[in-house]
Amino acid sequence: MELAIETINLTKIYGNKIGCTDVCLRVPRGQIFGFLGPNGAGKSTLVKMLVGLLYPTSGQARLLGYPLNNIEIKGKIGFLPENFRYHDWLTLRELLEFHSKLYKLSSSKRSKQINAVIDTVGLTGKEHQKIRTFSKGMQQRAGLACALLSDPELIFLDEPTSALDPLGRMEVRRILLQLKDTGTTVFLNSHLLSEVEMVCDTVAFIKGGRILRQDSLEQLQSGEIAVELMLSGINDIVKLALSNIALSLTIDGDIVTAFVNNEDDIPRLAEAVIKSGAHLYEMTRKRSSLEETFIELTGGVDH
């Protein structure tokens, strides 16, 4: 498996305070990777070390196969910090022109790449509008455009949707999935669990500067599936029919919760209810949510 990020016991100590300690991560290329933890857990510290804004106290890391101190890697990564502030008196195109020069893009490539990132973030037609007139969602997309100018293979996003309304978050999710489709690896540092659950392939949890767990989202949400059925006419025949399919049942009035091993059992539950002569009014599939896993691992949820 080719890795975009690999860290080995990466540690940052601020005097007597631990930023993060002995962090070991393996992030495959081409994935959207979610990095989760409460405020002050060490998420931003790790990101800043990986992008070169902080020097590690100890440990090692490689990005796209290169060590952190390799200059060549800087042109292959993008970064959108959490509290970015851009020159709001500039137009979008002027801002991107400025950043393209910082990336040392050639004049022949500059215009083409600027047009490409404006299209990617959905700001076509806003090129000559000043940044100060942009909504928060538009400013966030402008920041993403800056981070994408070098056509990075790996991009770090530090809380990219925390200040956005639902429509803004949806637009950012669209962009993240589009980046993944083009092969870009996305490192998403976030405390918005529902957002991570919608887009990420793999997640890691951190608390107190230490990694608690790293796993695929699919693996984290595997296990028994709870299916809640709202019925009328529950009798012993219905109970027996459901028990032949489910691992276990709980019944509370007209609500039956059946626990099954796999999704193929769900339509069988509905069929069993109908064949037994009961009436099925509602059926809801449930799985362990990312929020439940977060609470279990960290001892609390951070909204």
Side-chain angles (χ1 to χ4, degrees):
M1 179 175 57
E2 196 170 0
L3 299 177
I5 302 171
E6 183 178 22
T7 70
I8 303 172
N9 297 325
L10 201 62
T11 298
K12 180 63 179 179
I13 307 294
Y14 303 98
N16 296 323
K17 181 182 176 183
I18 295 175
C20 55
T21 182
D22 295 328
V23 172
C24 296
L25 291 177
R26 291 168 61 86
V27 179
R29 283 185 183 248
Q31 286 197 357
I32 302 179
F33 179 85
F35 195 45
L36 308 174
N39 290 331
K43 301 191 301 295
S44 291
T45 293
L46 179 68
V47 170
K48 288 176 181 177
M49 281 194 289
L50 293 178
V51 300
L53 295 178
L54 288 175
Y55 287 103
T57 304
S58 61
Q60 303 173 40
R62 298 180 73 84
L63 303 181
L64 305 171
Y66 296 86
L68 287 183
N69 58 359
N70 187 285
I71 295 298
E72 187 175 346
I73 196 61
K74 303 301 182 185
K76 298 177 183 290
I77 64 173
F79 176 43
L80 178 63
E82 179 180 6
N83 296 312
F84 64 89
R85 292 291 183 271
Y86 292 132
H87 313 82
D88 64 0
W89 61 90
L90 297 177
T91 65
L92 175 60
R93 180 165 287 279
E94 289 170 339
L95 178 69
L96 294 174
E97 286 278 359
F98 173 68
H99 279 263
S100 66
K101 291 175 183 177
L102 294 177
Y103 276 117
K104 296 183 178 180
L105 298 183
S106 65
S107 56
S108 59
K109 185 178 180 181
R110 195 177 301 156
S111 180
K112 180 179 179 181
Q113 189 62 11
I114 287 173
N115 290 336
V117 297
I118 289 174
D119 180 63
T120 296
V121 301
L123 289 176
T124 301
K126 308 295 183 183
E127 297 93 328
H128 304 294
Q129 191 171 327
K130 291 187 182 297
I131 299 298
R132 68 163 60 99
T133 67
F134 281 12
S135 66
K136 285 183 179 180
M138 291 171 66
Q139 288 183 23
Q140 200 77 8
R141 283 185 277 155
L144 270 172
C146 290
L148 292 171
L149 270 173
S150 66
D151 194 18
E153 297 176 37
L154 169 63
I155 184 167
F156 293 89
L157 305 176
D158 197 352
E159 302 287 2
T161 62
S162 59
L164 301 183
D165 61 21
L167 287 177
R169 290 176 186 172
M170 183 175 67
E171 181 61 21
V172 171
R173 288 198 302 270
R174 179 194 66 79
I175 295 168
L176 298 187
L177 292 171
Q178 184 177 339
L179 289 172
K180 177 187 172 182
D181 287 343
T182 63
T184 303
T185 305
V186 179
F187 187 103
L188 178 60
N189 178 13
S190 179
H191 67 274
L192 295 174
L193 305 181
S194 59
E195 296 292 306
V196 170
E197 203 162 18
M198 290 182 195
V199 298
C200 289
D201 302 289
T202 306
V203 297
F205 299 86
I206 185 171
K207 182 180 181 182
R210 295 181 181 274
I211 299 297
L212 303 177
R213 182 177 178 183
Q214 177 182 345
D215 221 328
S216 70
L217 200 62
E218 181 180 4
Q219 187 63 36
L220 285 167
Q221 295 179 324
S222 65
E224 291 183 3
I225 305 170
V227 182
E228 190 176 272
L229 304 98
M230 181 182 292
L231 310 177
S232 68
I234 298 174
N235 54 36
D236 289 342
I237 297 175
V238 175
K239 293 177 186 177
L240 179 61
L242 292 175
S243 296
N244 288 334
I245 301 168
L247 299 170
S248 63
L249 295 176
T250 62
I251 301 175
D252 183 9
D254 293 334
I255 303 297
V256 176
T257 303
F259 296 89
V260 296
N261 260 334
N262 59 71
E263 294 181 346
D264 291 339
D265 291 328
I266 296 176
R268 293 177 60 210
L269 292 173
E271 184 179 0
V273 169
I274 294 167
K275 284 185 176 180
S276 301
H279 296 284
L280 176 62
Y281 293 99
E282 188 174 323
M283 190 172 184
T284 307
R285 172 191 179 280
K286 297 184 176 180
R287 258 196 200 276
S288 175
S289 70
L290 194 60
E291 182 173 282
E292 289 169 333
T293 305
F294 184 96
I295 294 170
E296 180 184 342
L297 289 173
T298 67
V301 61
D302 190 286
H303 291 289

